[in-house]
Amino acid sequence: MRRSRTVTHAPDGEFGPDLAEVFGPRQSDGGPELVQLLTPEGERVRHPEFDREFSAEELRGFYRDMVLTRRIDTESTALQRHGELGIWAQLLGQEAAQIGSGRALRPQDFAFPTYREHGVAWCRGLDPLKLLGLFRGVDQGSWDAQEHHFGNYTIVIGAQTLHATGYAMGVQRDGAVGTGDPDRDAAVIAYFGDGASSQGDVNEAFIFAASYNAPVVFFCQNNQWAISEPIERQTRIPLYQRALGFGFPGVRVDGNDVMATYAVTQAALQRAREGSGPTFVEAYTYRMGAHTTTDDPTRYRLSDDVENWKLKDPIARLEAYLRRNGLVEDGFTDHVAAEAAELGERLRAGCKQLADPEPLSVFDHVYADLPPELAEQRDGYAAYLASFEGAQA
Amino acid sequence: MEKSSYPLTSDITRLRCATPPRKLRLLLSLKSTLSLTLCILPFDLADYQISQTITMASLQMAALLSAPSTPVASDRVRVGSLRLSASSSSASRNGCALVVRSEAKVSGGGVSARGANLVTHVVAEKAAAAATSADSKPGHELLLFEALREGLDEEMERDPTVCVMGEDVGHYGGSYKVTKGLATKYGDLRVLDTPIAENSFTGMGIGSAMTGLRPVVEGMNMGFLLLAYNQISNNCGMLHYTSGGQFKIPIVIRGPGGVGRQLGAEHSQRLESYFQSIPGLQMVACSTPYNAKGLMKAAIRSENPVVLFEHVLLYNLKERIPDEEYVLSLEEAEMVRPGEHVTILTYSRMRYHVMQAAKTLVNKGYDPEVIDIRSLKPFDLYTIGNSIKKTHRVLIVEECMRTGGIGASLRSAIIDNFWDYLDAPILCLSSQDVPTPYAGTLENWTVVQPEQIVAAVEQLCK
């Protein structure tokens, strides 16, 4: 048996050959292949491959979506701090990634979220109170996934990419790919994070998607952190480059640029709908808040880092662009702010009114058909509950 | 790994009762005035080249510590490139084990070649500020997660092959702070942050155990280790057998499990239920700071793969534990409350629900005997059997679901071995066969509550 030597640290932080020599130095600005159409200062830039024109309506729509999404996020965080929610996963900083990709979806496309895609939920027409219901624990996720084409939130990391791939294979076999009919051709989008990209499930999903040419877009929001583990712990190369190894294209887009995210996701979804198979889209963004309300990011990251990314805020840059181009002369931003305030009020009031679940409901939905043994357990339990003084009949 | 220099452990390696042995402590403090021994870490001196400096430093320390009962302020003895100091808190704790700790931080700039010429700083422990008020009582108070950390820290010092791996264990210090500060002390290879791939890092831990390391793999939540079930079952549990005894897997797999406060169904699982069938595994569950530290140390020293179940809700329990080193037995149950009327067998968090029920029961005139079984695989049938022979009535209280839980197996084992001693059928209180709800009130309803335990005992003793 080889005697182990205790080496207590990695020499110079490297575990192997210097990959910087192979792939170029790591860039905190996302690197030269980052697709961007709107700079952090709000200047419009061109891209040879993924450019498109945006109407004023579209841009004002993005602005409104992002402001309201951010409002949902801050209200919910506050509600959690007040004890109204058990927990909340904040998306602060990732609004553009979610609105940009969410608005690129057609009604017949299907989205598989994680537990942070409140912006995509907004795009899919979900009432945000339904998200609150989940995090408050009054239900297991009360929206109909089929109605909204938006899956249930899941805290099992990465497994939803397999679900998405399977669903996409089903869409293929339903003949809804490559027909040329824009109302019929459908794609699937799977959301996951940089941390999840290390999970076996996610890599297996890539393999299957490639092997079966499934119409799925793997949308990775690389927000640089998996709780306390930085992206360097998950990968030595930019995440989008992994896709090539699996056999499909990968693109890195500025996740704080709603225009670019929209353009890139739309292109990827269109590829899938046409039958050209999967695409990996890495939205390069930053988790400005904590992992969830139980996390304290000051324990493991520098505030300098966060300050830097504040300068790249998705909403600020779009607002700057809109102002500079005279697209919000009509008091539009005030109007949106008022709408956000109203939404906030509605959420606060609505959250407290959500009805608590009944105790016996723990036995509902364990099985589709309740087996006799569990029914017995439930009956015994009902009798136990009734035995308490003051119990309702 | 035999440690020749710890003078006290030979006295107290096996503790058979729940409370720290007062008599032993008296004996030890007597011993301390007669001789002072320095305990030195088993560095590989050829690698670290500090033998001379340690010897020098230890002589100086011996002089400084000639009166062990006087609390020594955190002295810093500069010896070349090392700073050595007495752990002031340990000196004031009445114990005589002076531990020279090494902080494996690289001094100054980077290190040129991997593993060569590592300069290790030996730094002082933080002065125990509260030592004065606690001086009157022996031992020191800490929380359960700190006890786990202390046990882990002591074992990592004692044996350089002990290492930790898991998600967020390094610089974050662990999601439940069990590894807090260890990465700074031992370096980020020995306390390794892994990518989010449970199957992979558990496999990595098993592989490292096969080749001579003693890894402690942390599952951030035991439920996540379901992703590593293949590794745990086929490799961890079975490799010793399938390799004809050639590969030992002295791994510890640990993490919080059980029903917490609104963690959701997937994060509230009782993995002891799922793992208990795996041949080759040992399983223990800690429930107090005292047994947490003792079981952690025992698990690390064991040559078998051990799964150490902690509970999400017990990490902040506070208790006074001995200053002296101690290691508990992995196969023993703990007598929590002796009694005559009924044997209540439980473990982990349910121990506290049982003890709460016991208060009510005592008021009602019952005398329950409460045993924290601690060893989930194998069961301590000796302690359990003795109890049943006395009381003839058994109640099992567990957090597992009714089907296939620890209770189910325990019931079976009791019937096989002690049938003749039973005056009544064995009662088992478990959770229902339902996923744990996220809603707080519903979640409470799926966990056995003290009122149910009281009712069950009354029923048993009718």
Side-chain angles (χ1 to χ4, degrees):
Chain A
M1 202 177 288
R2 188 164 47 83
R3 187 187 162 278
S4 59
R5 295 184 56 200
T6 306
V7 180
T8 51
H9 78 301
D12 285 327
E14 298 293 334
F15 282 85
D18 192 350
L19 292 178
E21 287 166 8
V22 181
F23 290 104
R26 244 174 272 144
Q27 307 246 1
S28 63
D29 62 356
E33 293 190 347
L34 187 82
V35 176
Q36 189 180 70
L37 300 180
L38 184 69
T39 67
E41 294 74 31
E43 309 258 311
R44 189 79 165 80
V45 292
R46 296 284 149 194
H47 193 275
E49 201 183 332
F50 293 105
D51 218 330
R52 85 190 277 293
E53 292 309 314
F54 290 93
S55 70
E57 269 329 290
E58 280 177 304
L59 294 177
R60 284 152 65 104
F62 289 153
Y63 176 81
R64 176 180 170 270
D65 286 336
M66 289 198 290
V67 170
L68 295 180
T69 299
R70 182 169 285 186
R71 190 51 184 258
I72 294 168
D73 195 55
T74 42
E75 284 297 329
S76 307
T77 305
L79 283 167
Q80 194 280 335
R81 298 286 182 224
H82 287 202
E84 300 295 339
L85 299 179
I87 197 172
W88 179 259
Q90 299 135 292
L91 59 56
L92 185 67
Q94 296 173 226
E95 294 86 357
Q98 294 188 13
I99 298 300
S101 58
R103 285 296 177 206
L105 295 170
R106 293 217 187 112
Q108 69 270 28
D109 295 334
F110 203 104
F112 284 87
T114 63
Y115 43 79
R116 209 191 288 282
E117 274 69 48
H118 322 309
V120 184
W122 174 260
C123 295
R124 298 266 89 183
L126 243 84
D127 180 1
L129 266 179
K130 290 202 181 277
L131 298 176
L132 295 189
L134 177 66
F135 286 98
R136 189 175 167 84
V138 301
D139 54 54
Q140 305 282 9
S142 62
W143 64 89
D144 182 351
Q146 286 301 334
E147 180 194 324
H148 295 277
H149 281 220
F150 183 73
N152 291 108
Y153 274 9
T154 173
I155 53 172
V156 179
I157 303 295
Q160 73 280 2
T161 54
L162 281 174
H163 307 160
T165 306
Y167 191 93
M169 289 167 66
V171 163
Q172 254 177 339
R173 281 145 185 78
D174 281 345
V177 174
T179 64
D181 178 1
D183 293 322
R184 180 158 171 70
D185 282 345
V188 180
I189 188 165
Y191 288 90
F192 58 102
D194 45 289
S197 69
S198 298
Q199 282 286 19
D201 282 10
V202 173
N203 289 274
E204 288 173 17
F206 293 166
I207 289 170
F208 271 66
S211 186
Y212 293 102
N213 212 40
V216 56
V217 173
F218 292 108
F219 193 93
C220 176
Q221 288 173 76
N222 178 0
N223 63 17
Q224 317 300 322
W225 293 97
I227 306 188
S228 75
E229 295 192 0
I231 182 64
E232 289 79 19
R233 184 59 49 163
Q234 313 298 345
T235 181
R236 302 305 308 284
I237 60 166
L239 275 176
Y240 75 98
Q241 289 177 9
R242 277 200 190 160
L244 202 59
F246 285 98
F248 49 91
V251 190
R252 174 178 272 188
V253 64
D254 184 344
N256 284 13
D257 173 355
V258 68
M259 293 189 201
T261 315
Y262 183 93
V264 167
T265 313
Q266 191 186 51
L269 287 167
Q270 192 52 33
R271 243 182 64 86
R273 290 187 205 111
E274 283 163 4
S276 301
T279 311
F280 186 109
V281 176
E282 180 192 356
Y284 199 78
T285 178
Y286 198 83
R287 198 195 72 207
M288 297 299 287
H291 170 66
T292 60
T293 46
T294 60
D295 177 37
D296 174 17
T298 60
R299 284 164 62 183
Y300 53 80
R301 64 185 191 187
L302 300 170
S303 52
D304 282 1
D305 222 14
V306 180
E307 291 306 313
N308 270 335
W309 276 88
K310 274 189 188 159
L311 302 173
K312 302 179 191 176
D313 185 78
I315 297 177
R317 67 170 84 176
L318 183 61
E319 188 173 343
Y321 177 83
L322 291 173
R323 285 196 193 287
R324 207 174 289 131
N325 291 277
L327 295 175
V328 289
E329 304 284 88
D330 52 351
F332 177 71
T333 49
D334 295 331
H335 180 77
V336 171
E339 215 187 325
E342 215 183 286
L343 175 60
E345 253 187 66
R346 184 167 82 83
L347 289 179
R348 287 194 298 276
C351 179
K352 291 167 205 184
Q353 283 164 14
L354 292 169
D356 278 342
E358 292 299 307
L360 276 180
S361 66
V362 295
F363 292 95
D364 297 340
H365 313 302
V366 180
Y367 291 93
D369 297 316
L370 195 65
E373 209 229 307
L374 199 60
E376 251 181 68
Q377 279 188 34
R378 185 185 60 180
D379 293 341
Y381 204 68
Y384 170 68
L385 291 175
S387 71
F388 280 85
E389 276 178 28
Q392 280 143 15
Chain B
M1 200 167 179
E2 241 342 276
K3 285 265 318 84
S4 56
S5 43
Y6 274 107
L8 310 171
T9 55
S10 52
D11 294 318
I12 50 168
T13 39
R14 302 260 140 187
L15 288 167
R16 292 205 153 252
C17 47
T19 54
R22 288 188 193 83
K23 281 188 198 158
L24 269 174
R25 262 206 303 284
L26 252 155
L27 182 65
L28 292 169
S29 54
L30 265 174
K31 250 186 128 172
S32 72
T33 56
L34 299 172
S35 66
L36 176 68
T37 320
L38 281 170
C39 308
I40 299 174
L41 287 168
F43 286 117
D44 181 341
L45 299 177
D47 279 353
Y48 294 91
Q49 301 166 8
I50 51 176
S51 52
Q52 246 185 342
T53 45
I54 281 202
T55 317
M56 257 178 71
S58 42
L59 287 172
Q60 288 180 301
M61 287 328 303
L64 277 171
L65 291 175
S66 54
S69 54
T70 321
V72 180
S74 48
D75 299 291
R76 295 230 164 115
V77 179
R78 287 207 171 264
V79 185
S81 61
L82 293 175
R83 282 172 307 156
L84 271 174
S85 71
S87 167
S88 66
S89 47
S90 85
S92 65
R93 283 180 204 158
N94 238 359
C96 255
L98 167 67
V99 179
V100 170
R101 292 199 164 91
S102 154
E103 192 202 9
K105 241 197 212 165
V106 176
S107 71
V111 174
S112 47
R114 193 196 291 220
N117 298 321
L118 272 175
V119 176
T120 52
H121 293 293
V122 181
V123 299
E125 283 279 284
K126 235 167 62 175
T132 41
S133 58
D135 255 344
S136 48
K137 279 202 232 168
H140 57 287
E141 244 186 6
L142 40 50
L143 305 177
L144 197 147
F145 75 87
E146 291 169 336
L148 287 167
R149 191 201 317 148
E150 205 172 81
L152 187 48
D153 193 356
E154 284 175 13
E155 291 304 298
M156 287 182 80
E157 271 183 54
R158 176 184 180 267
D159 181 349
T161 63
V162 179
C163 56
V164 182
M165 56 192 76
E167 295 160 5
D168 296 296
V169 296
H171 294 275
Y172 198 56
S175 296
Y176 293 93
K177 297 179 280 199
V178 174
T179 53
K180 191 166 181 199
L182 295 183
T184 323
K185 192 171 172 188
Y186 296 108
D188 56 20
L189 268 197
R190 253 184 108 184
V191 186
L192 185 69
D193 276 326
T194 63
I196 304 181
E198 286 78 7
N199 192 40
S200 302
F201 67 73
T202 306
M204 179 171 80
I206 293 166
S208 72
M210 286 161 69
T211 52
L213 292 184
R214 303 186 85 88
V216 177
V217 172
E218 171 172 311
M220 189 187 284
N221 184 287
M222 282 306 231
F224 304 173
L225 293 180
L226 287 174
L227 284 171
Y229 205 110
N230 172 51
Q231 290 290 344
I232 294 171
S233 168
N234 294 335
N235 292 335
C236 180
M238 298 196 211
L239 253 176
H240 190 244
Y241 177 85
T242 56
S243 69
Q246 289 184 77
F247 289 123
K248 274 195 300 196
I249 324 282
I251 194 174
V252 176
I253 296 174
R254 51 157 291 271
V259 178
R261 297 235 185 277
Q262 296 193 269
L263 294 180
E266 299 96 339
H267 287 30
S268 310
Q269 299 185 81
R270 280 72 82 194
L271 271 274
E272 62 269 23
S273 184
Y274 308 164
F275 284 160
Q276 63 176 325
S277 259
I278 300 174
L281 276 191
Q282 259 189 281
M283 307 197 313
V284 287
C286 62
S287 52
T288 66
Y290 178 76
N291 64 35
K293 179 177 171 183
L295 289 174
M296 170 74 91
K297 289 169 72 82
I300 291 172
R301 294 189 195 189
S302 169
E303 295 299 305
N304 293 329
V306 179
V307 185
L308 168 58
F309 290 93
E310 301 152 16
H311 196 285
V312 274
L313 294 182
L314 297 185
Y315 281 120
N316 289 329
L317 283 179
K318 196 189 269 200
E319 190 183 5
R320 187 165 283 275
I321 68 168
D323 294 325
E324 306 85 14
E325 197 191 21
Y326 66 95
V327 180
L328 296 177
S329 167
L330 288 176
E331 291 99 16
E332 272 180 17
E334 189 177 312
M335 178 66 68
V336 184
R337 180 191 188 282
E340 298 289 325
H341 291 166
V342 59
T343 298
I344 306 182
L345 303 172
T346 184
Y347 67 95
S348 192
R349 183 193 173 207
M350 288 296 109
R351 167 191 174 134
Y352 295 93
H353 281 205
V354 167
M355 288 312 289
Q356 199 178 329
K359 278 192 211 150
T360 312
L361 286 169
V362 165
N363 286 339
K364 293 190 174 195
Y366 295 96
D367 188 21
E369 176 150 294
V370 179
I371 295 176
D372 181 338
I373 63 172
R374 249 171 36 189
S375 176
L376 306 182
K377 183 179 167 109
F379 295 130
D380 177 3
L381 291 178
Y382 178 75
T383 307
I384 293 170
N386 282 345
S387 178
I388 296 174
K389 288 173 188 173
K390 182 172 55 164
T391 67
H392 311 292
R393 287 177 165 76
V394 183
L395 169 65
I396 300 169
V397 179
E398 62 169 351
E399 213 177 45
C400 286
M401 289 169 271
R402 174 167 313 173
T403 304
I406 295 293
S409 305
L410 188 53
R411 209 184 209 162
S412 207
I414 293 171
I415 290 172
D416 281 348
N417 290 282
F418 309 114
W419 171 257
D420 289 329
Y421 297 96
L422 292 171
D423 283 350
I426 303 170
L427 273 189
C428 183
L429 294 178
S430 336
S431 296
Q432 302 90 338
D433 287 317
V434 301
T436 305
Y438 178 70
T441 40
L442 294 194
E443 181 183 63
N444 273 338
W445 289 126
T446 62
V447 169
V448 177
Q449 300 295 335
E451 302 82 43
Q452 291 168 277
I453 301 170
V454 171
V457 169
E458 289 178 322
Q459 186 185 337
L460 253 184
C461 294
K462 254 197 271 203

